[in-house]
Amino acid sequence: MRRLLERSHVPWSRKPVSPVFGLDRGTPIDRHYISAFLAANAAAISGAILEFADDTYFGRYAAPGSTLAIFHGAPGNASATIVGDLGSADFLAGCPQRFDCIICTQVLQFIYPFHQATRNLYGMLRPGGVLLLTASGISQISRYDMDRWGDYWRFTSLSLKRLFEETCPDAEVEIEAHGNVLAAVAFLHGLSTEEVGAKALDRRDPDYEVSLCVRCRKPG
């Protein structure tokens, strides 16, 4: 790791290289894993699609002719077509079984009642619909989110397995864990994908789960 930091022209330090996940240096390491997961599941990104905050992944992976709704948890996002509390027990009244695909990247850790949020995500799927969800494993706190609505949770593949068994018992669920010790340390320091290299990041070590990815399909 010291040599990697030296090649990146930064000093060996107790402070992070980048306090913003490496956004100021290139592609954040967790986004490398997220993009690969969505690319592998691009066939499911079609029809009526829901994405969170903006249309980043819809624009990259959605099938031609698909339609998009954008969700945001608080007022102030001009692009949002749905605004609400995903963790509320009353949330589903506004949009039950509406979407063929939901792209929910890096959202669950910012919702305190994450069990209810997962039920609501599943409830918004049409029969046969697919939820593509990612969540943080090993990660720093997101200060931006912590100061606005909260940064509450970090997950493991086992905790997500239990979560989906409890909240979506009839679903077809596949869970992937991505990362290794180098990826974990580099991500905590804020190094970018370009600095570490995809080959090093793609080696998987089950004891260092940096990013968790879930494909959840509703029967129908």
Side-chain angles (χ1 to χ4, degrees), residues 187-203:
F187 187 44
L188 291 175
H189 255 292
L191 293 176
S192 70
T193 297
E194 291 79 6
E195 290 170 309
V196 181
K199 183 177 180 180
L201 295 177
D202 288 341
R203 184 179 62 81

Side-chain angles (χ1 to χ4, degrees), residues 16-28 189-192 194-195:
V17 173
S18 166
V20 290
F21 301 93
L23 274 167
D24 52 346
R25 303 178 67 83
T27 305
H189 255 292
L191 293 176
S192 70
E194 291 79 6
E195 290 170 309

Side-chain angles (χ1 to χ4, degrees), residues 33-47 49 57-58 60-63 66 100-105 128-134 172-178 204 212-217:
Y33 296 129
I34 293 166
S35 295
F37 169 67
L38 293 176
N41 287 278
I45 305 175
S46 63
I49 297 170
Y57 296 115
F58 176 88
R60 203 178 297 177
Y61 299 115
S66 298
D100 298 300
C101 180
I102 298 175
I103 303 171
C104 182
T105 57
V130 175
L131 166 65
L132 300 174
L133 178 144
T134 70
E172 302 167 13
V173 179
E174 300 172 13
I175 299 173
E176 303 173 2
H178 298 270
R204 297 192 193 187
L212 288 307
C213 303
V214 181
R215 176 190 168 105
C216 172
R217 181 181 180 275

Side-chain angles (χ1 to χ4, degrees), residues 7 28 66 76 83 117 128 136 141 150-151 177 180 183 208:
R7 289 201 304 271
S66 298
V83 177
S136 290
I141 292 293
D151 187 346
N180 55 63
Y208 295 89

